[in-house]
Amino acid sequence: MPNHPVDAHVGSRVRLRRTLLGLSQQKLGQNLGLTFQQIQKYERGTNRIGASRLYELSEILDVPLSFFFDEMPKESLALGGGLADPEKAFEHQYMSKRETLELVRAYYKITDLEVRKRIFEVIKSVAHQEHELSQ
C-alpha cells in the first residue's frame, strides 16, 4: 500500500525540524524511546505517527502541533496523490533535501545582517544567470 500523502508530508516536516535543530535520527529516537530505523520510517511516511507520538515530537522539537501540517499542498490530498502543481512539486523536492536544510541553517548562523544579505544577493544573481543561459 502506498504512503498516504499526509503521512509523507508530516514525516518530511519532522525531518526538516530535526535537521534544522542538528539532531540525528538516533538522538531523536533516544528521546522518544525508539530506534533510528523507526524515526526513518516516520520521516519517509512509511509508518504513520499517532497523535500522542506527534504531541511528543512537538515537545521535543519545540514546535506547535500545527507545524507538522504547515505548507501541506492541498493537491496532494486528491485521490491520485502526488503533487499536481509542478512548482509545488519543485519546492517540496528541494525543501526536503539535507543540502537545502544545511544551507539554510548555515545561512542563519551568519550574524552580520549585511553579509547575509550580500550572500543572498550573490546566490540569486548566480541562479538568475544560470537560468538565462539554460534558455
Side-chain angles (χ1 to χ4, degrees):
M1 176 178 209
N3 302 351
H4 192 282
V6 173
D7 297 327
H9 179 80
V10 169
S12 73
R13 299 291 289 177
V14 169
R15 180 174 186 224
L16 169 70
R17 184 64 179 163
R18 176 186 60 76
T19 305
L20 287 173
L21 291 175
L23 284 174
S24 68
Q25 289 177 332
Q26 184 172 0
K27 184 68 174 168
L28 180 57
Q30 287 172 349
N31 286 324
L32 291 166
L34 302 172
T35 65
F36 79 89
Q37 292 95 335
Q38 289 169 300
I39 299 300
Q40 282 178 335
K41 289 178 181 182
Y42 281 159
E43 290 182 356
R44 290 185 191 133
T46 306
N47 285 1
R48 287 191 171 163
I49 303 173
S52 58
R53 182 74 72 202
L54 198 59
Y55 179 79
E56 288 179 287
L57 282 163
S58 75
E59 294 287 308
I60 292 167
L61 299 175
D62 194 29
V63 291
L65 283 168
S66 61
F67 169 83
F68 300 109
F69 302 96
D70 288 347
E71 301 174 15
M72 185 164 31
K74 300 294 182 217
E75 298 86 7
S76 69
L77 298 178
L79 242 92
L83 300 168
D85 181 354
E87 189 154 323
K88 289 216 185 277
F90 172 84
E91 289 173 11
H92 184 74
Q93 174 187 359
Y94 290 107
M95 289 309 295
S96 62
K97 286 186 174 254
R98 171 178 233 96
E99 178 184 24
T100 305
L101 301 175
E102 289 177 3
L103 179 63
V104 170
R105 193 169 53 203
Y107 175 79
Y108 281 107
K109 283 183 180 177
I110 300 169
T111 57
D112 186 322
L113 295 179
E114 189 59 35
V115 170
R116 199 161 70 196
K117 180 180 175 185
R118 288 179 186 199
I119 289 171
F120 180 67
E121 293 302 324
V122 166
I123 291 171
K124 283 188 350 184
S125 176
V126 169
H128 178 74
Q129 287 174 4
E130 292 270 323
H131 180 74
E132 292 296 315
L133 288 175
S134 69
Q135 299 220 356

